[in-house]
Amino acid sequence: NAEKIGYNLLNQLEDVAETAARIGAVRGAGLFLGVDIVDPRGGTPDPAFAKALINNLRNRRVLIGAAGRFGHTLKVRPPLCLSRTEADFFIEALVQALSQVKEPAKGAL
């Protein structure tokens, strides 16, 4: 299941990344994935936006954390029994959150 759903989830995240300037890279294997959140003006890590995105996702009933040297990488690590419906729910919530999160104030972490 981790291989099948993870492959599908990775493909969906890569599709989102093609149109979302805030996503710099998507990587991982199985159901352990990372999504880099960046400033679209220069591609630099944007931990403030990642934090705002995490809070927006929490309001949408999606619990996710951040990791990485700058705290700008979303850690996607759901339970191994994740269903296709639940993966689709996450992608839909992420797309909506990316379009609705406002630019955080400078220095906001």
Side-chain angles (χ1 to χ4, degrees):
N1 187 63
E3 181 181 3
K4 181 177 77 173
I5 300 298
Y7 178 77
N8 177 265
L9 191 54
L10 181 63
N11 285 335
Q12 287 189 74
L13 286 168
E14 288 171 342
D15 289 346
V16 172
E18 288 181 16
T19 59
R22 285 284 183 179
I23 297 179
V26 177
R27 62 186 170 281
L31 286 172
F32 190 68
L33 305 169
V35 180
D36 289 342
I37 304 301
V38 299
D39 183 329
R41 295 170 293 226
T44 57
D46 195 342
F49 192 86
K51 182 178 179 181
L53 190 60
I54 288 166
N55 287 332
N56 189 289
L57 286 167
R58 184 183 64 237
N59 292 336
R60 296 172 188 283
R61 301 179 345 182
V62 174
L63 298 179
I64 195 163
R69 182 173 174 199
F70 304 103
H72 74 294
T73 302
L74 300 182
K75 293 185 295 185
V76 182
R77 50 185 186 154
L80 297 177
C81 60
L82 186 76
S83 71
R84 172 74 188 258
T85 301
E86 292 163 332
D88 292 346
F89 179 86
F90 165 67
I91 293 296
E92 183 178 321
L94 179 63
V95 168
Q96 291 173 354
L98 282 165
S99 70
Q100 293 180 352
V101 170
K102 304 292 184 226
E103 184 74 26
K106 292 292 179 199
L109 284 177

